[in-house]
């Protein structure tokens, strides 16, 4: 999920202002306890980004989905 305070950052290629959240589908049986156990294991391996893992339930309205094929440099206008 990508966003920027100023959406023109995507077309002007100001990547330092791009913000993102990596989302992954989780089965319903995955609990907070599962996430905490996995986070603890990752932190023990010095994977600091594990601190940011959380379970989110999104209820979205209209959305846009696009498949970009090509260089990451050219993804801005798609976003």
């Amino acid at each position: 999920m990508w966003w920027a305070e100023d959406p023109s950052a995507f077309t002007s290629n100001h990547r330092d202002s791009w913000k993102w959240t990596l989302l992954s589908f989780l089965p319903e049986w995955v609990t907070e306890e599962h996430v905490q156990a996995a986070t603890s294991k990752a932190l023990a391996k010095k994977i600091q980004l594990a601190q940011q893992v959380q379970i989110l339930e999104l209820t979205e309205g209209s959305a846009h989905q696009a498949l970009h094929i090509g260089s990451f440099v050219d993804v801005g206008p798609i976003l």
Side-chain angles (χ1 to χ4, degrees), residues 4-79:
E5 299 300 324
D6 178 4
S8 70
F10 296 118
T11 55
S12 60
N13 206 26
H14 290 132
R15 290 189 210 160
D16 56 333
S17 63
W18 296 10
K19 299 179 184 198
W20 60 276
T21 298
L22 177 65
L23 301 174
S24 180
F25 176 80
L26 293 176
E28 289 184 18
W29 57 264
V30 174
T31 65
E32 187 66 39
E33 290 77 25
H34 291 111
V35 172
Q36 290 301 322
T39 299
S40 294
K41 288 180 181 180
L43 288 171
K45 294 179 181 182
K46 308 289 189 228
I47 302 172
Q48 295 303 313
L49 285 176
Q51 296 177 56
Q52 298 177 32
V53 173
Q54 59 182 314
I55 294 178
L56 296 175
E57 185 172 329
L58 299 179
T59 305
E60 295 290 324
S62 298
H64 173 80
Q65 180 175 335
L67 172 63
H68 172 71
I69 299 174
S71 171
F72 184 71
V73 173
D74 299 325
V75 77
I78 300 292
L79 298 174

